[in-house]
Amino acid sequence: MRDLPGVGATLEHSLAGLGLRSAGDLLGHPPFRYEPAAPERSVAELMIGEEATIEGEVRQVGSRRSGRRLTLVEALVSDGTGEVSCVWFNQTWLLEKLLPGTRLRARGQLRRGSFAVKAYDLGEPRATADNAPVYPASEEVSLKRLRGLVERVLPLARELPDPLPASLRARLGLPFRSDALFALHRPERQGQGEEGRRRLAFDELLVFQLALARIAQDRDSSEAPALGAPGSLIKSYLAALPFRLTRHQTAALVEIDGDLAGSRPMQRLLQGDVGSGKTVVALYALLRAVEAGYQGALMAPTETLAEQHFLTVEEICRGLGVECLLLTSALPAKEHAAARARIASGEAQIAIGTHALIQKEVQFWRLAVAVVDEQHRFGVEQRTALSEDHSPHVLHMSATPIPRTLALTLYGDLEVSEIAAPPAARKPVVTSWVFEDRSAEAYRRLRKHLDAGRQVYVVCPLVEDSAGQARAAEQEAERLRKGELAGYQIGCMHGRLRPADRREIMARFKARELDVLVATTVIEVGVDVPNATVMIVQEADRFGLAQLHQLRGRVGRGAEQSYCLLVSRPKEELSEPAQRRLEALVRTSDGFELAEVDLEIRGEGQLLGARQSGLSDFRFTRLRADRALLEQARAAARELAPTLAGSPLEGELKERFAELELGELA
Ligand code: ADP
Ligand code: MG
């Protein structure tokens, strides 16, 4: 970066803050919008309120204060048809630049007799041009600065080779990569920037799909144990379930059976909203392995979640005479070693844990099925790690609602099973939004539920650090014990507790020894107590939409009607996004719909599990709008994969997915 004129250590540092470390990064910094076209007007033609561009000579310049914090710079500009006073706010340094006689091009609006300047140029028109790019900038690096830098490096785009085979490019009607970059940064007409972006997005998607195609190829050449058809253990398991499986669950089991029957390792994504009943399906897959004389493993992203799964699974397995164990890195060294020994000898038939399970020192005796919960949190890398040493069948579970078509194409190497609807016996959670001043009434309602034998979660407000969070939870529990909920058994759960203590508290809550569980977001996933029918979320405006949806999923798990109370300050005091989030939650409990709302409020970059799955590296792609492009990239990847070796695309693939150790995938 320092090679560029005007870039010193400070600017370099600020640019790095925007993720811009090289000329290539600058080229790949897409504008998020373009200035709309504005007509060129002479001063005499200017109309009040119309955005327009004028050009003329500075006659006179000065500044004055206006109000307490505003300083105006005023320049009298003449273009032969008339004179107008151009004004800028708080940019006194312009005084030195706008010397009389200077040619100025300015874009803005005539308001109260002056021309309020939005953008200007003192030399070549750029900022004032129609369709001028508007880049994400920062406090330290202004938009103007960025435009200048991009202008500087843009000629380099001319030299970039185009890695796409010409025939493919022509067939899809895509521009050359260099033209796309010019179009992106310096569109000459409306819509041209978008055409450029699409080509660059296609490249991103193609490279991603190629990586997935490689993983799929890899799978063709490895083998997992073929498990045949289900037998008597499975029969007992299904018979022991206290409910009938839903149509969607049954369909998922059939699909899984199909995969397990063969020796091509299963790679299936089991998608379903919170509470839709994925665990039953996962345990089915694990028991299929046990039944055939192999082992199963269930891997969860956090210790709490692993422990929850363990509690659920162990209870069922005990009745079936199947040995389970829990392995997390929190285990003392001796117990950890003992657990590993049981895994290695095959004594443990099902192992449940965090990614402690895939550490090198853990050797399975005969692993046939691995279930990975919340796969998006593991990302592509771990998806491969698990299948490297052992080639088990893998079932990925995710509660992140991604429309099926999108999931199929994003995770091109995975088959998808979807539990599209929750068990029918389930009543949707009744959600209401109440304000703090009425929370006394909320607690009165709560006591009614407690007296009827139900259990309750109280979720504490989010605080910055985990120590503060733990303290807040403890204090809240104490406050409720003395105040609103005196006389009830109240437990408290947070991330600072030792895993053994957490487990004990969960077990007591499950056993109904506790009426109320005051908790932090550690209960966000995995906690399953059907008798808990009320959840109060304090300062609900502080949580994200997806997080609130996950939290709410902890209730509404039994046949009883459940309630969720979102407590916040008065509506007027909340930001608009916070209001929209809470309104959406009251309106619907459909995870897909909420995901759409979330997307609208937060914008593209934040899409769902995007960050975790490596998708955040997408700079140009807009997952929702580019659905068709994604399909094209997927088809192209299939076509190109066999002849990839030595092609320019392979280079890009290696560069982009260096962390994936492609050698091992090939
Ligand atoms: P998730 O998809 O969030 O993992 P779970 O598997 O934990 O959901 O299921 C949520 C609750 O629904 C559990 O209490 C489970 O026992 C119950 N459940 C699962 N399947 C059914 C069904 N077919 N009928 C009734 N209840 C079910
Ligand atoms: Mg679950």
Side-chain angles (χ1 to χ4, degrees):
M1 282 298 214
R2 300 262 199 114
D3 317 341
L4 291 171
V7 181
T10 316
L11 183 57
E12 189 174 61
H13 184 79
S14 309
L15 286 168
L18 286 168
L20 304 173
R21 294 187 177 76
S22 65
D25 289 343
L26 280 169
L27 286 178
H29 191 54
F32 61 91
R33 65 176 181 88
Y34 299 93
E35 295 291 2
E40 313 229 344
R41 298 273 186 239
S42 66
V43 170
E45 287 170 338
L46 280 177
M47 287 183 296
I48 293 172
E50 182 199 43
E51 179 148 340
T53 305
I54 57 170
E55 204 167 346
E57 195 182 298
V58 177
R59 286 285 154 83
Q60 212 178 305
V61 66
S63 71
R64 65 181 165 88
R65 294 185 77 79
S66 156
R68 256 192 309 156
R69 272 184 272 159
L70 280 184
T71 305
L72 297 185
V73 170
E74 285 180 305
L76 194 63
V77 174
S78 157
D79 71 349
T81 70
E83 284 186 340
V84 67
S85 162
C86 293
V87 296
W88 287 260
F89 297 95
N90 288 342
Q91 301 185 44
T92 39
W93 49 273
L94 274 174
L95 286 171
E96 295 165 27
K97 298 205 148 191
L98 296 168
L99 300 174
T102 310
R103 295 290 305 172
L104 169 76
R105 216 176 118 88
R107 182 184 172 120
Q109 256 178 355
L110 192 62
R111 275 200 313 236
R112 289 199 218 109
S114 310
F115 191 74
V117 178
K118 263 180 63 181
Y120 65 93
D121 290 298
L122 294 168
E124 285 276 285
R126 195 166 52 219
T128 57
D130 287 350
N131 306 311
V134 182
Y135 298 102
S138 66
E139 239 173 283
E140 294 89 41
V141 192
S142 69
L143 172 59
K144 198 170 162 59
R145 204 47 182 276
L146 276 172
R147 278 178 175 156
L149 288 169
V150 173
E151 269 307 296
R152 277 277 175 187
V153 298
L154 196 52
L156 297 177
R158 285 264 166 267
E159 272 128 62
L160 286 181
D162 197 315
L164 270 198
S167 57
L168 179 67
R169 200 181 51 71
R171 177 148 44 92
L172 297 176
L174 295 168
F176 281 110
R177 184 184 276 184
S178 54
D179 292 340
L181 285 165
F182 271 89
L184 183 78
H185 293 294
R186 200 195 281 164
E188 278 159 13
R189 55 181 164 74
Q190 206 190 335
Q192 201 183 20
E194 169 62 12
E195 285 163 26
R197 184 198 68 77
R198 284 190 75 244
R199 160 67 211 256
L200 300 164
F202 180 82
D203 291 5
E204 272 179 346
L205 290 166
L206 178 62
V207 168
F208 187 73
Q209 293 295 321
L210 281 169
L212 295 180
R214 284 229 164 162
I215 296 173
Q217 265 174 26
D218 177 37
R219 194 146 56 101
D220 287 336
S221 58
S222 58
E223 273 197 25
L227 298 182
S232 62
L233 179 65
I234 288 294
K235 202 176 263 166
S236 325
Y237 167 61
L238 294 177
L241 290 176
F243 42 73
R244 283 176 58 99
L245 293 177
T246 64
R247 179 167 60 85
H248 299 284
Q249 284 171 321
T250 308
L253 298 190
V254 170
E255 287 168 332
I256 288 169
D257 281 340
D259 295 342
L260 297 182
S263 61
R264 182 170 195 263
M266 167 170 80
Q267 284 288 341
R268 182 170 290 279
L269 174 65
L270 178 63
Q271 268 211 102
D273 209 343
V274 225
S276 61
K278 295 183 293 295
T279 314
V280 188
V281 176
L283 185 52
Y284 175 91
L286 294 172
L287 290 170
R288 290 283 329 264
V290 172
E291 178 178 72
Y294 292 89
Q295 290 168 298
L298 195 167
M299 190 160 86
T302 67
E303 308 238 316
T304 316
L305 191 48
E307 286 157 18
Q308 292 319 317
H309 277 310
F310 179 70
L311 287 178
T312 313
V313 170
E314 196 202 25
E315 195 179 315
I316 299 171
C317 282
R318 209 180 308 126
L320 297 169
V322 172
E323 280 296 316
C324 296
L325 70 69
L326 176 67
L327 184 80
T328 70
S329 43
L331 284 184
K334 235 170 120 184
E335 289 175 38
H336 198 275
R340 290 199 317 262
R342 291 179 62 207
I343 291 174
S345 69
E347 197 189 323
Q349 295 167 291
I350 295 180
I352 295 167
T354 52
H355 38 273
L357 278 181
I358 53 167
Q359 307 301 311
K360 281 274 177 290
E361 72 265 23
V362 181
Q363 292 292 331
F364 279 83
W365 169 64
R366 295 170 78 184
L367 182 65
V369 173
V371 174
V372 182
D373 195 6
E374 291 302 319
Q375 65 91 215
H376 65 280
R377 297 192 188 201
F378 284 98
V380 184
E381 304 95 87
Q382 286 87 345
R383 287 210 321 240
T384 56
L386 198 76
S387 42
E388 252 168 50
D389 295 355
H390 352 275
S391 265
H393 296 286
V394 183
L395 182 68
H396 308 268
M397 289 200 284
S398 174
T400 305
I402 301 177
R404 188 189 171 98
T405 48
L406 193 55
L408 264 174
T409 33
L410 276 181
Y411 306 108
D413 61 323
L414 301 186
E415 263 78 52
V416 180
S417 293
E418 192 174 79
I419 305 186
R426 197 81 52 73
K427 300 191 184 77
V429 178
V430 173
T431 302
S432 37
W433 176 12
V434 295
F435 304 113
E436 269 154 12
D437 52 349
R438 314 240 342 242
S439 67
E441 191 193 313
Y443 279 102
R444 195 160 42 76
R445 272 159 69 190
L446 200 74
R447 286 194 296 270
K448 265 182 33 201
H449 289 281
L450 288 167
D451 293 340
R454 304 277 93 78
Q455 289 165 287
V456 168
Y457 297 105
V458 176
V459 180
C460 292
L462 272 182
V463 215
E464 292 292 313
D465 61 312
S466 81
Q469 184 88 58
R471 214 167 32 241
E474 301 274 11
Q475 280 168 4
E476 180 61 13
E478 205 41 50
R479 195 182 69 76
L480 291 174
R481 277 185 199 116
K482 292 203 186 105
E484 281 103 333
L485 299 179
Y488 297 98
Q489 292 303 312
I490 301 179
C492 178
M493 173 114 135
H494 53 73
R496 277 294 172 109
L497 292 175
R498 286 195 319 228
D501 295 338
R502 257 188 275 164
R503 210 172 316 153
E504 194 202 315
I505 290 171
M506 272 324 297
R508 290 181 59 204
F509 191 61
K510 250 191 170 166
R512 301 200 191 182
E513 285 169 31
L514 296 173
D515 304 306
V516 180
L517 193 61
V518 176
T520 60
T521 51
V522 294
I523 62 155
E524 190 181 331
V525 270
V527 172
D528 186 21
V529 181
N531 190 51
T533 55
V534 184
M535 169 174 284
I536 292 196
V537 184
Q538 298 177 330
E539 297 188 33
D541 53 295
R542 298 229 204 161
F543 296 89
L545 189 48
Q547 198 168 29
L548 286 169
H549 178 59
Q550 290 283 337
L551 282 169
R552 180 170 59 179
R554 299 307 110 208
V555 293
R557 304 195 138 228
E560 295 290 334
Q561 176 65 57
S562 286
Y563 302 87
C564 176
L565 299 177
L566 306 169
V567 182
S568 81
R569 285 170 290 146
K571 191 168 174 173
E572 312 79 67
E573 289 181 28
L574 303 185
S575 70
E576 204 217 300
Q579 293 183 23
R580 286 175 67 190
R581 286 198 296 272
L582 298 178
E583 278 161 8
L585 280 155
V586 170
R587 190 175 64 236
T588 179
S589 52
D590 180 326
F592 288 92
E593 195 179 329
L594 289 172
E596 293 276 315
V597 174
D598 205 18
L599 195 61
E600 263 169 43
I601 300 178
R602 301 202 296 169
E604 287 291 338
Q606 310 280 341
L607 186 80
L608 312 169
R611 180 157 312 131
Q612 294 89 341
S613 54
L615 299 178
S616 58
D617 299 345
F618 283 168
R619 290 185 154 193
F620 303 107
T621 304
R622 304 205 177 123
L623 287 175
R624 223 156 37 130
D626 291 338
R627 206 74 60 88
L629 202 61
L630 214 147
E631 291 295 344
Q632 289 176 339
R634 187 168 150 85
R638 272 201 223 106
E639 190 181 314
L640 297 174
T643 56
L644 195 60
S647 74
L649 273 171
E650 191 191 33
E652 302 216 350
L653 190 59
K654 285 196 171 135
E655 202 175 299
R656 175 105 200 275
F657 290 93
E659 77 276 19
L660 269 186
E661 294 177 17
L662 281 173
E664 298 193 352
L665 301 176

